[in-house]
Every structure is written in C-alpha cells, then in structure tokens.
Amino acid sequence: VETGAAPDNYFRPEARPYTRAPRDRYLGRNILEMDLQLLVDAVAFVARFESPISIGDLVKATSAAFGTRAGSRIKARLDEAIREAIRQRRLVEDRGFCREASVVCELRNRAGTGIGAEGIAPEEYRLALMSILEQGKPFARELLVAEVRDVFGYGAASAALKENVLGTVEELIALGRIGEGATGLAWRER
C-alpha cells in the first residue's frame, strides 16, 4: 500500500500496548443468576481496561472474566447489562462500540492481540488520523493508510483497515478538519 516515505521531521504517534481486562475477576460466579447491577459493574470493569471496545467483544471479554463463553443466554444477559450501563451513563455507545464514560480514547497498539481492524472504534481511527496530521505534514492517502497501520501495530493493511481509514478521512474532510491538495491530505488550522 505504501508509496513514498513519511515526510521529513515527522514523528509517528506512540500507541500504548492494548490492555485486556483480567480474565479471572469473576470466576465462580454465575452470570445468569447475578443481580443486574452487579453485571453492570462487571461490564464497566471490563470496559475500563479495553475502551473503546465493540459491543460483541465486550460481551466476550466479560464472559471470559467469569471463566465462561457467551452462549445465547449469557449473551442476552450481558447485552441487557450493557444496555443498562449505557442507560446509567456508565458506558457511552458510538456505532457499535462502547467505552467507559470516564475513559478518554487513546491510541493502542494491537500487535499480537489477534484484534482485527474491524475491532477498532471510529473514535480511535479519528484520533490516529488527527495525531498524524496535526503535525502539519501532508500525506498521500496510501501513505496515510500505511502510517495508521503502523501506529496500530499491524504488519499489513487489511481491506477493513484501509476502508475504515479512508472512510474516516472522508468524514474528517466533510467536517472541514482535514483538506486535500496536490501534496496530499493535511490538517486544517482552526
């Protein structure tokens, strides 16, 4: 996907390693028999570590914290807890992803996690693009895709990563946050 090299005096934004919630926090407890508020606490606990996280991955990670898998009844119970956590404003939902309300989105490196590009929240794609382009250096689209790939710790740019990066580019252009000229995409001063 790469064409050319990163601009001179450009410094790649640093992404912290992806942190998973402890997988043994609730061992021995039965999700189906727990009080709803305790399950709300459990999904918020997992989200604190892994925010932003897709709702599907939040269900899987929370069930793993109980030492179990998310069958249909457990999934339904955890979906109910997630909806309640959103209602209580403990979680914030955006396009199928959740984050704990008090957590600020950070760039996270997913090298070795098995988390694909579809598991990255829209707000994290926006943050990656802003962190790259705010330095004032223009990037060609293909190079920008490659740079986001490297920030997130992927060895290759999957179709999903390219689609999500370029979709976010279009969103930021429409919002007037970035512009495109002969030298590539660049952050617009505000």
Side-chain angles (χ1 to χ4, degrees):
V1 176
E2 284 185 62
T3 58
D8 291 336
N9 300 319
Y10 165 76
F11 299 96
R12 179 172 293 139
E14 195 169 322
R16 71 172 173 79
Y18 189 94
T19 305
R20 294 196 186 273
R23 295 301 197 235
D24 58 356
R25 170 84 177 200
Y26 300 99
L27 285 180
R29 296 187 185 172
N30 186 326
I31 292 173
L32 299 175
E33 295 174 359
M34 281 184 77
D35 176 72
L36 181 60
Q37 190 56 47
L38 293 175
L39 283 178
V40 167
D41 294 343
V43 297
F45 173 80
V46 171
R48 186 174 312 125
F49 285 89
E50 301 195 38
S51 286
I53 183 172
S54 73
I55 291 174
D57 287 343
L58 180 55
V59 167
K60 289 176 192 171
T62 304
S63 62
F66 283 86
T68 189
R69 292 183 180 213
S72 60
R73 292 184 321 146
I74 288 174
K75 182 185 177 316
R77 186 75 169 134
L78 290 174
D79 283 342
E80 178 186 16
I82 291 167
R83 284 191 306 275
E84 180 61 18
I86 292 168
R87 191 192 69 70
Q88 292 177 12
R89 299 179 195 265
R90 294 193 54 195
L91 295 180
V92 176
E93 190 269 337
D94 178 24
R95 294 186 253 183
F97 288 81
C98 282
R99 67 173 169 77
E100 190 190 35
S102 65
V103 172
V104 175
C105 184
E106 295 180 275
L107 294 176
R108 296 170 299 166
N109 185 306
R110 288 161 174 79
T113 64
I115 298 170
E118 62 284 345
I120 300 174
E123 68 182 307
E124 200 167 351
Y125 278 107
R126 284 191 298 273
L127 180 60
L129 289 167
M130 290 176 3
S131 298
I132 292 165
L133 294 174
E134 280 181 329
Q135 295 183 41
K137 309 292 182 187
F139 277 81
R141 286 176 182 254
E142 297 79 20
L143 187 58
L144 190 56
V145 169
E147 193 58 27
V148 171
R149 174 203 67 207
D150 290 346
V151 167
F152 288 144
Y154 294 117
S158 67
L161 181 102
K162 185 173 183 175
E163 179 181 329
N164 289 332
V165 169
L166 295 177
T168 305
V169 162
E170 294 304 324
E171 177 185 314
L172 292 172
I173 288 172
L175 292 171
R177 304 298 301 270
I178 62 177
E180 187 167 24
T183 58
L185 296 158
W187 192 253
R188 286 194 162 164
E189 297 293 322
R190 288 220 157 216

